[in-house]
């Protein structure tokens, strides 16, 4: 008897078997607090002359590295915040023209300094320092 035949004989469809297999692989197995709090002990440097970091060459651009969103505001300063939403850890995007970080999951918004400007998130984003030296941008806790 093959696998399909075996499952049919005991009354399980392939979909049911897949569902059973997936129990325990939900997101709750990881630490939700770290997902919504952002990384700690951050200290890394981006080479802004590298094509990999070209998004930061223009005002309003952003990229994600090491769990952090690094954005260049429309006024040309660099800001860095945790990538994950403080509500349910969905990945944020930066919207330079609106001067904010946005979560498409439930619509939370955060200012460029990480403060909640629209719920349902109730906690500010973890922010990181930025320091530009030549073409090297250091992001650190
Ligand atoms: S996960 Fe971001 S608003 Fe809910």
């Amino acid at each position: 008897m093959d696998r399909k035949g075996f499952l049919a004989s005991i009354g399980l469809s392939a979909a049911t078997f897949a569902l059973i297999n997936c129990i325990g692989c939900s997101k709750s197995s990881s630490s939700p607090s770290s997902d919504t709090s952002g990384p700690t002990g951050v200290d890394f440097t981006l080479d802004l002359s590298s094509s990999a970091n070209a998004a930061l060459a223009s005002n309003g651009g952003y990229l994600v590295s090491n769990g952090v969103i690094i954005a260049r505001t429309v006024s040309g300063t660099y800001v860095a915040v945790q990538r994950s939403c403080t509500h349910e850890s969905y990945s944020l995007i930066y919207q330079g023209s609106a001067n904010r970080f946005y979560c498409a999951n439930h619509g939370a918004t955060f200012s460029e300094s990480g403060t909640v400007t629209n719920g349902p998130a109730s906690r500010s984003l973890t922010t990181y320092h930025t320091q530009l030296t030549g073409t090297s941008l250091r992001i650190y806790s």
Side-chain angles (χ1 to χ4, degrees), residues 1-139:
M1 177 182 299
D2 64 12
R3 180 176 163 173
K4 187 176 178 182
F6 170 74
L7 292 173
S9 72
I10 61 171
L12 293 175
S13 69
T16 304
F17 188 69
L19 179 64
I20 290 169
N21 270 347
C22 201
I23 292 174
C25 65
S26 71
K27 213 171 172 182
S28 62
S29 61
S30 63
S31 171
S33 60
S34 63
D35 287 340
T36 58
S37 298
T40 58
V42 168
D43 193 352
F44 61 93
T45 301
L46 298 177
D47 177 2
L48 299 185
S49 66
S50 167
S51 60
N53 301 320
L56 295 177
S58 305
N59 291 355
Y62 79 99
L63 57 77
V64 176
S65 181
N66 299 300
V68 176
I69 293 182
I70 304 98
R72 181 168 164 169
T73 68
V74 292
S75 60
T77 59
Y78 292 98
V79 294
V81 301
Q82 69 183 76
R83 176 192 195 176
S84 57
C85 183
T86 59
H87 181 228
E88 290 181 357
S89 75
Y90 195 83
S91 293
L92 302 172
I93 62 169
Y94 176 65
Q95 296 177 319
S97 60
N99 308 107
R100 70 182 188 181
F101 296 94
Y102 172 70
C103 179
N105 201 19
H106 305 114
T109 58
F110 304 85
S111 72
E112 289 173 337
S113 60
T115 304
V116 176
T117 50
N118 186 55
S122 60
R123 188 164 44 84
S124 297
L125 298 171
T126 297
T127 60
Y128 304 93
H129 302 288
T130 61
Q131 181 180 41
L132 182 65
T133 305
T135 58
S136 294
L137 180 65
R138 180 182 174 210
I139 296 91

